[in-house]
Amino acid sequence: MKIRIKSGDTVQVIAGDHKGSEGKVVRILREKNKAIVEGVNTVSKHEKPSARNPQGGIVKKEAPIHISNLALLDPKSGDPTRVGYEERDGKKVRVSKKSNEVI
């Protein structure tokens, strides 16, 4: 599966429990075709006390969400859009299909 979303992109969830939520991509997990999006798909996880976290307890963290459930937001209008590739000025760039703007 070709991953057209990169770290730092603003995306919208288009399917699942968090449909309609928006956030910034923190990290891409290529081998699993998943992404971690800031503020989306947060889960509560119990952690044992350790040197890093001496208190322990319940910690909220973002869980990965599948790439197919995400749509990149158009930089011009802010609507979800598909991504294409074009060659402009001798460079291969990502282009929004809706507004034909470089991402």
Side-chain angles (χ1 to χ4, degrees):
M1 178 180 214
K2 177 82 172 162
I3 298 177
R4 293 181 162 95
I5 295 173
K6 310 257 185 234
S7 294
D9 287 345
T10 306
V11 294
Q12 182 177 25
V13 180
I14 57 172
D17 293 339
H18 304 281
K19 183 177 182 176
S21 303
E22 295 178 6
K24 198 172 204 173
V25 176
V26 177
R27 189 169 158 216
I28 299 286
L29 307 171
R30 290 194 177 281
E31 61 280 351
K32 294 182 180 179
N33 287 331
K34 294 187 176 197
I36 296 175
V37 182
E38 201 172 75
V40 178
N41 200 20
T42 55
V43 293
S44 300
K45 184 178 188 316
H46 181 270
E47 285 193 0
K48 287 174 68 175
S50 64
R52 250 184 53 193
N53 187 4
Q55 188 73 23
I58 297 171
V59 177
K60 294 215 182 248
K61 60 189 280 187
E62 287 111 5
I65 188 165
H66 201 271
I67 295 288
S68 65
N69 296 336
L70 300 175
L72 189 71
L73 291 179
D74 188 13
K76 193 173 185 179
S77 66
D79 295 332
T81 183
R82 290 181 294 158
V83 179
Y85 288 91
E86 286 182 7
E87 195 169 311
R88 294 189 181 176
D89 300 327
K91 287 187 175 182
K92 185 177 174 183
V93 293
R94 291 187 307 155
V95 177
S96 167
K97 290 284 189 175
K98 234 175 209 180
S99 65
N100 209 17
E101 290 281 320
V102 176
I103 299 171

